[in-house]
Amino acid sequence: MKDKGLIILFSLLALIILSALFASFIAPYSPYDTDLTNKFAPVSLEHILGTDHLGRDVFSRIIYGSRMSLISVLTTILIVLILSLIVGSIAGFRGGLFDSILMRICDVFLTFPTFILALFFIGVLGAGLINVIIAIALTHWAWYARIVRSIVLETKQKNYVLAAKCLGSSRFKIVLKHIMPKVLSQVIILAALDLGHMMLHVAGLSFLGLGVQAPTAEWGVMINDATPYIREHPELMLYPGICIFITVAVFNSIGEKLRDKYETKEYSSESELCVKS
């Protein structure tokens, strides 16, 4: 039977991604067009969610904000996965001195809380979207690298891997065919669970004025812009906040669903690999 809950979650994620990709077609206005004579306009057919303190259409900025938030988060997780797969695989498969050196470097990064460490890197690199992506990637890669290493160490002792060695398979073939599929399946699930956490990091740093800079349309920036008007117009903070909440919830729920499905199929997958070996 198909998992209806997972289908619904992927449909919501597809809707978010499509709105980001086709923001220029969906948004009725440019997110940067100002009209001070029409600031704080109420909800209407002309402005679906009203306008902000500069007369900019809030709905248009929400749609364009999804593009900026998703690009930053997906770019960050891609950098983290590439770096952690390289480091974790080398450490786990080679072992010895390589393993000791790489894991001691990981220990240094894991010593500090991720958000505090991200603030430190931004203080060194400066504010801006690119620096935020680099900072968040540097604060997360070590945790992933350790997980990749542990999976590699566990997997290379499995019977089907040992059988492949006995049959004369090359080291490259063993890694590519037997170890990497298991590593990727687990790391992708972890990444899905961590995407929401990274999005909160990006939005939080933008809210503090250290990430994406105004007037760029981004959900954290929108919340920061609306802070002085929270008493008179709390909806200006509410709209981007709801978008962040929904997107993070979708990422977390997809990650949990995928993890549950993977755990139930793990044993049968190992049996199939033993037969193929």
Side-chain angles (χ1 to χ4, degrees), residues 76 80 83 106 108-122 131-144 194 197-198 201 205:
T76 302
V80 169
L83 187 59
C106 289
V108 173
F109 282 88
L110 292 171
T111 302
F112 305 95
T114 55
F115 195 75
I116 301 300
L117 192 57
L119 289 174
F120 167 76
F121 283 122
I122 291 175
N131 292 338
V132 164
I133 291 173
I134 294 172
I136 297 176
L138 289 176
T139 58
H140 284 75
W141 75 272
W143 182 68
Y144 280 83
D194 210 26
H197 175 70
M198 290 184 180
H201 268 33
L205 291 169

PDB file of all heavy atoms in Angstrom, residues 76 80 83 106 108-122 131-144 194 197-198 201 205:
ATOM      1  N   THR A  76      23.253  24.811   0.985  1.00  0.00           N
ATOM      2  CA  THR A  76      23.983  24.476   2.206  1.00  0.00           C
ATOM      3  C   THR A  76      24.054  22.968   2.408  1.00  0.00           C
ATOM      4  O   THR A  76      25.130  22.417   2.676  1.00  0.00           O
ATOM      5  CB  THR A  76      23.314  25.125   3.430  1.00  0.00           C
ATOM      6  OG1 THR A  76      23.263  26.542   3.255  1.00  0.00           O
ATOM      7  CG2 THR A  76      24.082  24.805   4.706  1.00  0.00           C
ATOM      8  N   VAL A  80      27.320  20.415   2.514  1.00  0.00           N
ATOM      9  CA  VAL A  80      27.529  19.565   3.689  1.00  0.00           C
ATOM     10  C   VAL A  80      27.645  18.093   3.286  1.00  0.00           C
ATOM     11  O   VAL A  80      28.544  17.373   3.752  1.00  0.00           O
ATOM     12  CB  VAL A  80      26.378  19.752   4.696  1.00  0.00           C
ATOM     13  CG1 VAL A  80      26.426  18.683   5.789  1.00  0.00           C
ATOM     14  CG2 VAL A  80      26.439  21.132   5.327  1.00  0.00           C
ATOM     15  N   LEU A  83      31.031  17.371   1.329  1.00  0.00           N
ATOM     16  CA  LEU A  83      32.187  17.418   2.224  1.00  0.00           C
ATOM     17  C   LEU A  83      32.192  16.252   3.202  1.00  0.00           C
ATOM     18  O   LEU A  83      33.224  15.603   3.420  1.00  0.00           O
ATOM     19  CB  LEU A  83      32.192  18.750   2.981  1.00  0.00           C
ATOM     20  CG  LEU A  83      33.410  19.057   3.851  1.00  0.00           C
ATOM     21  CD1 LEU A  83      34.679  19.057   3.015  1.00  0.00           C
ATOM     22  CD2 LEU A  83      33.240  20.415   4.542  1.00  0.00           C
ATOM     23  N   CYS A 106      37.046  16.949  13.228  1.00  0.00           N
ATOM     24  CA  CYS A 106      35.598  16.937  13.466  1.00  0.00           C
ATOM     25  C   CYS A 106      35.281  17.262  14.918  1.00  0.00           C
ATOM     26  O   CYS A 106      34.314  17.988  15.211  1.00  0.00           O
ATOM     27  CB  CYS A 106      35.010  15.573  13.101  1.00  0.00           C
ATOM     28  SG  CYS A 106      34.977  15.234  11.327  1.00  0.00           S
ATOM     29  N   VAL A 108      36.846  19.174  16.933  1.00  0.00           N
ATOM     30  CA  VAL A 108      36.971  20.620  17.163  1.00  0.00           C
ATOM     31  C   VAL A 108      35.682  21.324  16.770  1.00  0.00           C
ATOM     32  O   VAL A 108      35.178  22.188  17.501  1.00  0.00           O
ATOM     33  CB  VAL A 108      38.167  21.188  16.372  1.00  0.00           C
ATOM     34  CG1 VAL A 108      38.194  22.715  16.469  1.00  0.00           C
ATOM     35  CG2 VAL A 108      39.474  20.604  16.876  1.00  0.00           C
ATOM     36  N   PHE A 109      35.123  20.975  15.619  1.00  0.00           N
ATOM     37  CA  PHE A 109      33.890  21.615  15.147  1.00  0.00           C
ATOM     38  C   PHE A 109      32.686  21.220  16.000  1.00  0.00           C
ATOM     39  O   PHE A 109      31.763  22.022  16.176  1.00  0.00           O
ATOM     40  CB  PHE A 109      33.626  21.245  13.689  1.00  0.00           C
ATOM     41  CG  PHE A 109      34.459  22.018  12.703  1.00  0.00           C
ATOM     42  CD1 PHE A 109      35.708  21.564  12.324  1.00  0.00           C
ATOM     43  CD2 PHE A 109      33.992  23.200  12.161  1.00  0.00           C
ATOM     44  CE1 PHE A 109      36.483  22.271  11.413  1.00  0.00           C
ATOM     45  CE2 PHE A 109      34.746  23.918  11.256  1.00  0.00           C
ATOM     46  CZ  PHE A 109      36.003  23.456  10.877  1.00  0.00           C
ATOM     47  N   LEU A 110      32.692  19.999  16.520  1.00  0.00           N
ATOM     48  CA  LEU A 110      31.558  19.520  17.317  1.00  0.00           C
ATOM     49  C   LEU A 110      31.593  20.028  18.754  1.00  0.00           C
ATOM     50  O   LEU A 110      30.633  19.832  19.498  1.00  0.00           O
ATOM     51  CB  LEU A 110      31.542  17.991  17.310  1.00  0.00           C
ATOM     52  CG  LEU A 110      31.205  17.333  15.968  1.00  0.00           C
ATOM     53  CD1 LEU A 110      31.436  15.826  16.040  1.00  0.00           C
ATOM     54  CD2 LEU A 110      29.775  17.633  15.564  1.00  0.00           C
ATOM     55  N   THR A 111      32.676  20.670  19.139  1.00  0.00           N
ATOM     56  CA  THR A 111      32.801  21.161  20.514  1.00  0.00           C
ATOM     57  C   THR A 111      31.826  22.295  20.804  1.00  0.00           C
ATOM     58  O   THR A 111      31.315  22.423  21.922  1.00  0.00           O
ATOM     59  CB  THR A 111      34.242  21.648  20.775  1.00  0.00           C
ATOM     60  OG1 THR A 111      35.145  20.569  20.524  1.00  0.00           O
ATOM     61  CG2 THR A 111      34.402  22.121  22.207  1.00  0.00           C
ATOM     62  N   PHE A 112      31.538  23.105  19.787  1.00  0.00           N
ATOM     63  CA  PHE A 112      30.728  24.313  19.987  1.00  0.00           C
ATOM     64  C   PHE A 112      29.312  24.111  19.449  1.00  0.00           C
ATOM     65  O   PHE A 112      29.110  23.393  18.473  1.00  0.00           O
ATOM     66  CB  PHE A 112      31.370  25.499  19.268  1.00  0.00           C
ATOM     67  CG  PHE A 112      32.802  25.743  19.660  1.00  0.00           C
ATOM     68  CD1 PHE A 112      33.848  25.212  18.915  1.00  0.00           C
ATOM     69  CD2 PHE A 112      33.108  26.494  20.786  1.00  0.00           C
ATOM     70  CE1 PHE A 112      35.168  25.432  19.270  1.00  0.00           C
ATOM     71  CE2 PHE A 112      34.423  26.722  21.147  1.00  0.00           C
ATOM     72  CZ  PHE A 112      35.452  26.187  20.388  1.00  0.00           C
ATOM     73  N   PRO A 113      28.316  24.779  20.070  1.00  0.00           N
ATOM     74  CA  PRO A 113      26.948  24.758  19.520  1.00  0.00           C
ATOM     75  C   PRO A 113      26.940  25.327  18.106  1.00  0.00           C
ATOM     76  O   PRO A 113      27.661  26.288  17.817  1.00  0.00           O
ATOM     77  CB  PRO A 113      26.158  25.653  20.489  1.00  0.00           C
ATOM     78  CG  PRO A 113      26.955  25.657  21.750  1.00  0.00           C
ATOM     79  CD  PRO A 113      28.393  25.526  21.331  1.00  0.00           C
ATOM     80  N   THR A 114      26.125  24.744  17.225  1.00  0.00           N
ATOM     81  CA  THR A 114      26.157  25.121  15.810  1.00  0.00           C
ATOM     82  C   THR A 114      25.836  26.596  15.583  1.00  0.00           C
ATOM     83  O   THR A 114      26.492  27.249  14.768  1.00  0.00           O
ATOM     84  CB  THR A 114      25.167  24.256  15.012  1.00  0.00           C
ATOM     85  OG1 THR A 114      23.864  24.362  15.591  1.00  0.00           O
ATOM     86  CG2 THR A 114      25.610  22.804  15.002  1.00  0.00           C
ATOM     87  N   PHE A 115      24.848  27.128  16.283  1.00  0.00           N
ATOM     88  CA  PHE A 115      24.453  28.517  16.036  1.00  0.00           C
ATOM     89  C   PHE A 115      25.537  29.485  16.510  1.00  0.00           C
ATOM     90  O   PHE A 115      25.829  30.482  15.839  1.00  0.00           O
ATOM     91  CB  PHE A 115      23.129  28.833  16.738  1.00  0.00           C
ATOM     92  CG  PHE A 115      22.484  30.106  16.259  1.00  0.00           C
ATOM     93  CD1 PHE A 115      21.853  30.155  15.037  1.00  0.00           C
ATOM     94  CD2 PHE A 115      22.527  31.250  17.040  1.00  0.00           C
ATOM     95  CE1 PHE A 115      21.264  31.329  14.586  1.00  0.00           C
ATOM     96  CE2 PHE A 115      21.946  32.426  16.593  1.00  0.00           C
ATOM     97  CZ  PHE A 115      21.302  32.461  15.368  1.00  0.00           C
ATOM     98  N   ILE A 116      26.147  29.176  17.663  1.00  0.00           N
ATOM     99  CA  ILE A 116      27.235  30.028  18.171  1.00  0.00           C
ATOM    100  C   ILE A 116      28.421  29.985  17.221  1.00  0.00           C
ATOM    101  O   ILE A 116      29.040  31.015  16.920  1.00  0.00           O
ATOM    102  CB  ILE A 116      27.664  29.566  19.580  1.00  0.00           C
ATOM    103  CG1 ILE A 116      26.484  29.623  20.557  1.00  0.00           C
ATOM    104  CG2 ILE A 116      28.819  30.420  20.093  1.00  0.00           C
ATOM    105  CD1 ILE A 116      25.887  30.992  20.728  1.00  0.00           C
ATOM    106  N   LEU A 117      28.742  28.790  16.722  1.00  0.00           N
ATOM    107  CA  LEU A 117      29.845  28.656  15.776  1.00  0.00           C
ATOM    108  C   LEU A 117      29.539  29.375  14.467  1.00  0.00           C
ATOM    109  O   LEU A 117      30.428  29.994  13.856  1.00  0.00           O
ATOM    110  CB  LEU A 117      30.129  27.178  15.509  1.00  0.00           C
ATOM    111  CG  LEU A 117      31.428  26.840  14.767  1.00  0.00           C
ATOM    112  CD1 LEU A 117      32.640  27.386  15.511  1.00  0.00           C
ATOM    113  CD2 LEU A 117      31.551  25.333  14.580  1.00  0.00           C
ATOM    114  N   ALA A 118      28.268  29.335  14.032  1.00  0.00           N
ATOM    115  CA  ALA A 118      27.873  30.053  12.817  1.00  0.00           C
ATOM    116  C   ALA A 118      28.038  31.553  12.999  1.00  0.00           C
ATOM    117  O   ALA A 118      28.500  32.257  12.087  1.00  0.00           O
ATOM    118  CB  ALA A 118      26.426  29.716  12.458  1.00  0.00           C
ATOM    119  N   LEU A 119      27.687  32.064  14.171  1.00  0.00           N
ATOM    120  CA  LEU A 119      27.882  33.488  14.464  1.00  0.00           C
ATOM    121  C   LEU A 119      29.361  33.863  14.406  1.00  0.00           C
ATOM    122  O   LEU A 119      29.729  34.943  13.922  1.00  0.00           O
ATOM    123  CB  LEU A 119      27.307  33.827  15.840  1.00  0.00           C
ATOM    124  CG  LEU A 119      25.776  33.820  15.971  1.00  0.00           C
ATOM    125  CD1 LEU A 119      25.375  34.032  17.420  1.00  0.00           C
ATOM    126  CD2 LEU A 119      25.153  34.888  15.088  1.00  0.00           C
ATOM    127  N   PHE A 120      30.216  32.965  14.899  1.00  0.00           N
ATOM    128  CA  PHE A 120      31.659  33.226  14.856  1.00  0.00           C
ATOM    129  C   PHE A 120      32.157  33.321  13.410  1.00  0.00           C
ATOM    130  O   PHE A 120      32.893  34.249  13.053  1.00  0.00           O
ATOM    131  CB  PHE A 120      32.411  32.115  15.597  1.00  0.00           C
ATOM    132  CG  PHE A 120      33.896  32.124  15.354  1.00  0.00           C
ATOM    133  CD1 PHE A 120      34.711  33.066  15.966  1.00  0.00           C
ATOM    134  CD2 PHE A 120      34.482  31.190  14.486  1.00  0.00           C
ATOM    135  CE1 PHE A 120      36.088  33.074  15.726  1.00  0.00           C
ATOM    136  CE2 PHE A 120      35.840  31.195  14.252  1.00  0.00           C
ATOM    137  CZ  PHE A 120      36.649  32.151  14.874  1.00  0.00           C
ATOM    138  N   PHE A 121      31.745  32.365  12.577  1.00  0.00           N
ATOM    139  CA  PHE A 121      32.195  32.375  11.176  1.00  0.00           C
ATOM    140  C   PHE A 121      31.675  33.606  10.435  1.00  0.00           C
ATOM    141  O   PHE A 121      32.395  34.188   9.610  1.00  0.00           O
ATOM    142  CB  PHE A 121      31.749  31.098  10.468  1.00  0.00           C
ATOM    143  CG  PHE A 121      32.566  29.889  10.810  1.00  0.00           C
ATOM    144  CD1 PHE A 121      31.986  28.756  11.341  1.00  0.00           C
ATOM    145  CD2 PHE A 121      33.938  29.885  10.603  1.00  0.00           C
ATOM    146  CE1 PHE A 121      32.740  27.642  11.653  1.00  0.00           C
ATOM    147  CE2 PHE A 121      34.712  28.776  10.915  1.00  0.00           C
ATOM    148  CZ  PHE A 121      34.108  27.654  11.441  1.00  0.00           C
ATOM    149  N   ILE A 122      30.443  33.995  10.718  1.00  0.00           N
ATOM    150  CA  ILE A 122      29.906  35.195  10.069  1.00  0.00           C
ATOM    151  C   ILE A 122      30.643  36.435  10.545  1.00  0.00           C
ATOM    152  O   ILE A 122      30.879  37.376   9.770  1.00  0.00           O
ATOM    153  CB  ILE A 122      28.394  35.314  10.342  1.00  0.00           C
ATOM    154  CG1 ILE A 122      27.652  34.197   9.608  1.00  0.00           C
ATOM    155  CG2 ILE A 122      27.863  36.675   9.901  1.00  0.00           C
ATOM    156  CD1 ILE A 122      26.187  34.135   9.901  1.00  0.00           C
ATOM    157  N   ASN A 131      28.084  34.040   2.702  1.00  0.00           N
ATOM    158  CA  ASN A 131      28.797  33.781   3.955  1.00  0.00           C
ATOM    159  C   ASN A 131      27.943  32.984   4.942  1.00  0.00           C
ATOM    160  O   ASN A 131      28.474  32.175   5.712  1.00  0.00           O
ATOM    161  CB  ASN A 131      29.242  35.100   4.588  1.00  0.00           C
ATOM    162  CG  ASN A 131      30.321  35.786   3.778  1.00  0.00           C
ATOM    163  OD1 ASN A 131      31.017  35.144   2.998  1.00  0.00           O
ATOM    164  ND2 ASN A 131      30.461  37.087   3.935  1.00  0.00           N
ATOM    165  N   VAL A 132      26.631  33.210   4.910  1.00  0.00           N
ATOM    166  CA  VAL A 132      25.736  32.428   5.766  1.00  0.00           C
ATOM    167  C   VAL A 132      25.744  30.967   5.338  1.00  0.00           C
ATOM    168  O   VAL A 132      25.796  30.057   6.181  1.00  0.00           O
ATOM    169  CB  VAL A 132      24.296  33.001   5.713  1.00  0.00           C
ATOM    170  CG1 VAL A 132      23.295  31.992   6.254  1.00  0.00           C
ATOM    171  CG2 VAL A 132      24.210  34.273   6.517  1.00  0.00           C
ATOM    172  N   ILE A 133      25.692  30.720   4.040  1.00  0.00           N
ATOM    173  CA  ILE A 133      25.731  29.342   3.528  1.00  0.00           C
ATOM    174  C   ILE A 133      27.024  28.659   3.946  1.00  0.00           C
ATOM    175  O   ILE A 133      27.024  27.517   4.415  1.00  0.00           O
ATOM    176  CB  ILE A 133      25.585  29.343   1.992  1.00  0.00           C
ATOM    177  CG1 ILE A 133      24.165  29.772   1.604  1.00  0.00           C
ATOM    178  CG2 ILE A 133      25.890  27.958   1.427  1.00  0.00           C
ATOM    179  CD1 ILE A 133      23.964  29.959   0.118  1.00  0.00           C
ATOM    180  N   ILE A 134      28.155  29.371   3.795  1.00  0.00           N
ATOM    181  CA  ILE A 134      29.452  28.810   4.183  1.00  0.00           C
ATOM    182  C   ILE A 134      29.491  28.540   5.682  1.00  0.00           C
ATOM    183  O   ILE A 134      29.945  27.472   6.130  1.00  0.00           O
ATOM    184  CB  ILE A 134      30.591  29.766   3.786  1.00  0.00           C
ATOM    185  CG1 ILE A 134      30.684  29.884   2.262  1.00  0.00           C
ATOM    186  CG2 ILE A 134      31.930  29.283   4.358  1.00  0.00           C
ATOM    187  CD1 ILE A 134      31.655  30.941   1.787  1.00  0.00           C
ATOM    188  N   ALA A 135      28.988  29.487   6.467  1.00  0.00           N
ATOM    189  CA  ALA A 135      29.028  29.351   7.925  1.00  0.00           C
ATOM    190  C   ALA A 135      28.198  28.166   8.401  1.00  0.00           C
ATOM    191  O   ALA A 135      28.647  27.371   9.243  1.00  0.00           O
ATOM    192  CB  ALA A 135      28.537  30.643   8.583  1.00  0.00           C
ATOM    193  N   ILE A 136      26.992  28.015   7.879  1.00  0.00           N
ATOM    194  CA  ILE A 136      26.128  26.912   8.302  1.00  0.00           C
ATOM    195  C   ILE A 136      26.698  25.573   7.839  1.00  0.00           C
ATOM    196  O   ILE A 136      26.649  24.570   8.566  1.00  0.00           O
ATOM    197  CB  ILE A 136      24.698  27.113   7.777  1.00  0.00           C
ATOM    198  CG1 ILE A 136      24.093  28.381   8.386  1.00  0.00           C
ATOM    199  CG2 ILE A 136      23.821  25.912   8.098  1.00  0.00           C
ATOM    200  CD1 ILE A 136      22.717  28.718   7.865  1.00  0.00           C
ATOM    201  N   ALA A 137      27.256  25.551   6.615  1.00  0.00           N
ATOM    202  CA  ALA A 137      27.873  24.310   6.122  1.00  0.00           C
ATOM    203  C   ALA A 137      29.051  23.900   7.008  1.00  0.00           C
ATOM    204  O   ALA A 137      29.213  22.720   7.342  1.00  0.00           O
ATOM    205  CB  ALA A 137      28.331  24.496   4.678  1.00  0.00           C
ATOM    206  N   LEU A 138      29.867  24.869   7.424  1.00  0.00           N
ATOM    207  CA  LEU A 138      31.023  24.564   8.266  1.00  0.00           C
ATOM    208  C   LEU A 138      30.616  24.081   9.657  1.00  0.00           C
ATOM    209  O   LEU A 138      31.368  23.342  10.304  1.00  0.00           O
ATOM    210  CB  LEU A 138      31.915  25.801   8.385  1.00  0.00           C
ATOM    211  CG  LEU A 138      32.700  26.195   7.127  1.00  0.00           C
ATOM    212  CD1 LEU A 138      33.457  27.502   7.362  1.00  0.00           C
ATOM    213  CD2 LEU A 138      33.666  25.094   6.720  1.00  0.00           C
ATOM    214  N   THR A 139      29.446  24.486  10.119  1.00  0.00           N
ATOM    215  CA  THR A 139      29.008  24.079  11.453  1.00  0.00           C
ATOM    216  C   THR A 139      28.292  22.725  11.451  1.00  0.00           C
ATOM    217  O   THR A 139      28.057  22.157  12.522  1.00  0.00           O
ATOM    218  CB  THR A 139      28.060  25.130  12.062  1.00  0.00           C
ATOM    219  OG1 THR A 139      26.920  25.306  11.203  1.00  0.00           O
ATOM    220  CG2 THR A 139      28.767  26.460  12.227  1.00  0.00           C
ATOM    221  N   HIS A 140      27.942  22.195  10.279  1.00  0.00           N
ATOM    222  CA  HIS A 140      27.180  20.949  10.221  1.00  0.00           C
ATOM    223  C   HIS A 140      27.940  19.770   9.615  1.00  0.00           C
ATOM    224  O   HIS A 140      27.573  18.618   9.851  1.00  0.00           O
ATOM    225  CB  HIS A 140      25.886  21.161   9.413  1.00  0.00           C
ATOM    226  CG  HIS A 140      24.825  21.901  10.149  1.00  0.00           C
ATOM    227  ND1 HIS A 140      24.884  23.262  10.368  1.00  0.00           N
ATOM    228  CD2 HIS A 140      23.677  21.477  10.743  1.00  0.00           C
ATOM    229  CE1 HIS A 140      23.815  23.644  11.038  1.00  0.00           C
ATOM    230  NE2 HIS A 140      23.077  22.594  11.289  1.00  0.00           N
ATOM    231  N   TRP A 141      28.986  20.041   8.831  1.00  0.00           N
ATOM    232  CA  TRP A 141      29.624  18.952   8.088  1.00  0.00           C
ATOM    233  C   TRP A 141      30.252  17.904   9.003  1.00  0.00           C
ATOM    234  O   TRP A 141      30.255  16.710   8.676  1.00  0.00           O
ATOM    235  CB  TRP A 141      30.691  19.509   7.142  1.00  0.00           C
ATOM    236  CG  TRP A 141      31.951  19.936   7.843  1.00  0.00           C
ATOM    237  CD1 TRP A 141      32.221  21.155   8.380  1.00  0.00           C
ATOM    238  CD2 TRP A 141      33.100  19.120   8.107  1.00  0.00           C
ATOM    239  NE1 TRP A 141      33.459  21.168   8.962  1.00  0.00           N
ATOM    240  CE2 TRP A 141      34.029  19.932   8.802  1.00  0.00           C
ATOM    241  CE3 TRP A 141      33.441  17.805   7.820  1.00  0.00           C
ATOM    242  CZ2 TRP A 141      35.266  19.462   9.228  1.00  0.00           C
ATOM    243  CZ3 TRP A 141      34.674  17.319   8.243  1.00  0.00           C
ATOM    244  CH2 TRP A 141      35.573  18.138   8.932  1.00  0.00           C
ATOM    245  N   ALA A 142      30.795  18.334  10.143  1.00  0.00           N
ATOM    246  CA  ALA A 142      31.512  17.403  11.014  1.00  0.00           C
ATOM    247  C   ALA A 142      30.573  16.334  11.580  1.00  0.00           C
ATOM    248  O   ALA A 142      30.954  15.158  11.686  1.00  0.00           O
ATOM    249  CB  ALA A 142      32.181  18.177  12.150  1.00  0.00           C
ATOM    250  N   TRP A 143      29.366  16.734  11.932  1.00  0.00           N
ATOM    251  CA  TRP A 143      28.382  15.776  12.464  1.00  0.00           C
ATOM    252  C   TRP A 143      28.040  14.731  11.401  1.00  0.00           C
ATOM    253  O   TRP A 143      28.001  13.528  11.674  1.00  0.00           O
ATOM    254  CB  TRP A 143      27.136  16.530  12.914  1.00  0.00           C
ATOM    255  CG  TRP A 143      26.086  15.665  13.523  1.00  0.00           C
ATOM    256  CD1 TRP A 143      26.153  14.993  14.705  1.00  0.00           C
ATOM    257  CD2 TRP A 143      24.806  15.354  12.970  1.00  0.00           C
ATOM    258  NE1 TRP A 143      24.986  14.288  14.931  1.00  0.00           N
ATOM    259  CE2 TRP A 143      24.147  14.503  13.881  1.00  0.00           C
ATOM    260  CE3 TRP A 143      24.140  15.725  11.801  1.00  0.00           C
ATOM    261  CZ2 TRP A 143      22.867  14.004  13.651  1.00  0.00           C
ATOM    262  CZ3 TRP A 143      22.859  15.236  11.574  1.00  0.00           C
ATOM    263  CH2 TRP A 143      22.244  14.387  12.484  1.00  0.00           C
ATOM    264  N   TYR A 144      27.829  15.183  10.177  1.00  0.00           N
ATOM    265  CA  TYR A 144      27.538  14.259   9.077  1.00  0.00           C
ATOM    266  C   TYR A 144      28.731  13.362   8.781  1.00  0.00           C
ATOM    267  O   TYR A 144      28.569  12.172   8.478  1.00  0.00           O
ATOM    268  CB  TYR A 144      27.150  15.040   7.823  1.00  0.00           C
ATOM    269  CG  TYR A 144      25.721  15.519   7.812  1.00  0.00           C
ATOM    270  CD1 TYR A 144      25.354  16.685   8.454  1.00  0.00           C
ATOM    271  CD2 TYR A 144      24.734  14.806   7.146  1.00  0.00           C
ATOM    272  CE1 TYR A 144      24.046  17.134   8.445  1.00  0.00           C
ATOM    273  CE2 TYR A 144      23.419  15.240   7.126  1.00  0.00           C
ATOM    274  CZ  TYR A 144      23.083  16.405   7.778  1.00  0.00           C
ATOM    275  OH  TYR A 144      21.775  16.836   7.773  1.00  0.00           O
ATOM    276  N   ASP A 194      17.250  17.393   8.716  1.00  0.00           N
ATOM    277  CA  ASP A 194      18.041  18.555   9.111  1.00  0.00           C
ATOM    278  C   ASP A 194      17.746  19.797   8.287  1.00  0.00           C
ATOM    279  O   ASP A 194      18.178  20.899   8.651  1.00  0.00           O
ATOM    280  CB  ASP A 194      19.532  18.216   8.998  1.00  0.00           C
ATOM    281  CG  ASP A 194      20.379  18.985  10.000  1.00  0.00           C
ATOM    282  OD1 ASP A 194      19.845  19.377  11.049  1.00  0.00           O
ATOM    283  OD2 ASP A 194      21.577  19.190   9.735  1.00  0.00           O
ATOM    284  N   HIS A 197      15.941  22.414  10.282  1.00  0.00           N
ATOM    285  CA  HIS A 197      16.859  23.037  11.245  1.00  0.00           C
ATOM    286  C   HIS A 197      17.733  24.085  10.564  1.00  0.00           C
ATOM    287  O   HIS A 197      17.935  25.183  11.091  1.00  0.00           O
ATOM    288  CB  HIS A 197      17.727  21.940  11.872  1.00  0.00           C
ATOM    289  CG  HIS A 197      18.797  22.439  12.785  1.00  0.00           C
ATOM    290  ND1 HIS A 197      18.530  23.001  14.005  1.00  0.00           N
ATOM    291  CD2 HIS A 197      20.156  22.460  12.654  1.00  0.00           C
ATOM    292  CE1 HIS A 197      19.665  23.353  14.589  1.00  0.00           C
ATOM    293  NE2 HIS A 197      20.666  23.042  13.782  1.00  0.00           N
ATOM    294  N   MET A 198      18.224  23.774   9.371  1.00  0.00           N
ATOM    295  CA  MET A 198      19.055  24.730   8.635  1.00  0.00           C
ATOM    296  C   MET A 198      18.251  25.939   8.184  1.00  0.00           C
ATOM    297  O   MET A 198      18.752  27.065   8.177  1.00  0.00           O
ATOM    298  CB  MET A 198      19.685  24.042   7.422  1.00  0.00           C
ATOM    299  CG  MET A 198      20.754  23.024   7.779  1.00  0.00           C
ATOM    300  SD  MET A 198      21.543  22.336   6.317  1.00  0.00           S
ATOM    301  CE  MET A 198      22.711  21.199   7.077  1.00  0.00           C
ATOM    302  N   HIS A 201      18.057  28.271  10.922  1.00  0.00           N
ATOM    303  CA  HIS A 201      19.341  28.964  11.049  1.00  0.00           C
ATOM    304  C   HIS A 201      19.415  30.141  10.085  1.00  0.00           C
ATOM    305  O   HIS A 201      19.800  31.254  10.472  1.00  0.00           O
ATOM    306  CB  HIS A 201      20.494  27.987  10.770  1.00  0.00           C
ATOM    307  CG  HIS A 201      21.017  27.317  11.994  1.00  0.00           C
ATOM    308  ND1 HIS A 201      20.220  26.997  13.074  1.00  0.00           N
ATOM    309  CD2 HIS A 201      22.268  26.902  12.335  1.00  0.00           C
ATOM    310  CE1 HIS A 201      20.949  26.409  14.005  1.00  0.00           C
ATOM    311  NE2 HIS A 201      22.205  26.340  13.582  1.00  0.00           N
ATOM    312  N   LEU A 205      19.461  34.029  11.308  1.00  0.00           N
ATOM    313  CA  LEU A 205      20.588  34.913  11.022  1.00  0.00           C
ATOM    314  C   LEU A 205      20.142  36.114  10.190  1.00  0.00           C
ATOM    315  O   LEU A 205      20.639  37.230  10.382  1.00  0.00           O
ATOM    316  CB  LEU A 205      21.691  34.138  10.302  1.00  0.00           C
ATOM    317  CG  LEU A 205      22.417  33.089  11.155  1.00  0.00           C
ATOM    318  CD1 LEU A 205      23.300  32.203  10.287  1.00  0.00           C
ATOM    319  CD2 LEU A 205      23.259  33.752  12.243  1.00  0.00           C
TER     320      LEU A 205
END
